[in-house]
Amino acid sequence: VMIEPILEIYKNIAPEAEKCGVKALNLAVTDYDGEIDFAVPFLAASAGRHPAQRWLRCIGHVISETHTGMNNLGLLQSPEGRKHLMKTIKIPCKKLDTIIEDSNIKHIDYLKIDVEGHELNIIDAYSWRLIPTFIKIEHEHLDDEGKGRLQNILIGRGYVTYKEKHDIYGIY
């Protein structure tokens, strides 16, 4: 299963994903099921076509009062970011458990979470009924306390962890 919340990007990658047998979903992952506000750069649809704009593909993020990490709102409101002013949309959202259940997943070999600072929201709400064999989670947008908490959660679940500059890895 692959998840992409920005519709313009989803439309570009979903057909190729599905050709490879990967179920593509157009929604956000968070700590509840329903709808959530989402920040999208206006140039998201064309991001990646011009090398100077590739970073735009990666800066969409949820806007939530319960968001535990940092997000890209400051970047988008900076002088450079204003050139690519964001819009806020409402999109469907689901918990990781709901996605697993809805997709009839029985085993997880690899779980990657890269949600621009919303990683702890997802992990805190996860039941751990299925234990992924290998996890890669971006922690770049978490403060040091959040990074430590994320690592402790994984260790507490029996993972051996390894941290790099932007990501933490867990092997079960």
Side-chain angles (χ1 to χ4, degrees):
V1 174
M2 178 213 70
I3 297 163
E4 174 52 58
I6 300 174
L7 182 60
E8 293 87 354
I9 296 173
Y10 169 82
K11 285 179 181 178
N12 286 330
I13 60 178
E16 292 303 314
E18 303 224 349
K19 283 181 193 175
C20 299
V22 176
K23 181 179 181 179
L25 301 173
N26 179 225
L27 53 88
V29 184
T30 189
D31 47 7
Y32 65 91
D33 296 336
E35 282 191 334
I36 196 163
D37 289 328
F38 197 86
V40 181
F42 281 129
L43 295 178
S46 62
R49 294 191 185 130
H50 187 278
Q53 296 176 344
R54 284 194 184 133
W55 63 276
L56 284 170
R57 292 180 51 225
C58 303
I59 63 171
H61 57 83
V62 301
I63 300 172
S64 169
E65 290 180 13
T66 63
H67 183 76
T68 54
M70 298 173 276
N71 59 34
N72 294 309
L73 267 174
L75 174 64
L76 286 168
Q77 293 169 343
S78 71
E80 174 62 22
R82 279 184 217 175
K83 294 178 195 173
H84 313 291
L85 192 59
M86 70 171 194
K87 61 182 175 179
T88 301
I89 60 174
K90 284 211 178 291
I91 61 171
C93 63
K94 292 185 178 183
K95 297 186 300 184
L96 184 55
D97 281 308
T98 304
I99 293 164
I100 290 168
E101 185 177 314
D102 290 353
S103 300
N104 199 29
I105 295 171
K106 303 296 184 207
H107 178 77
I108 302 171
D109 291 313
Y110 176 65
L111 174 65
K112 178 183 177 192
I113 303 175
D114 179 350
V115 290
E116 304 304 304
H118 206 61
E119 291 81 7
L120 280 170
N121 292 75
I122 293 167
I123 292 298
D124 283 342
Y126 184 52
S127 71
W128 296 94
R129 284 187 289 254
L130 289 180
I131 306 293
T133 304
F134 184 79
I135 297 178
K136 178 181 179 182
I137 304 175
E138 182 184 50
H139 63 79
E140 179 177 10
H141 300 288
L142 300 175
D143 60 18
D144 289 341
E145 182 181 332
K147 290 175 185 180
R149 191 157 75 84
L150 179 58
Q151 185 170 21
N152 288 337
I153 289 169
L154 294 177
I155 290 169
R157 293 288 172 179
Y159 285 89
V160 174
T161 62
Y162 172 75
K163 284 178 19 179
E164 288 185 332
K165 183 177 180 181
H166 302 292
D167 301 298
I168 184 168
Y169 300 86
I171 302 169
Y172 191 76

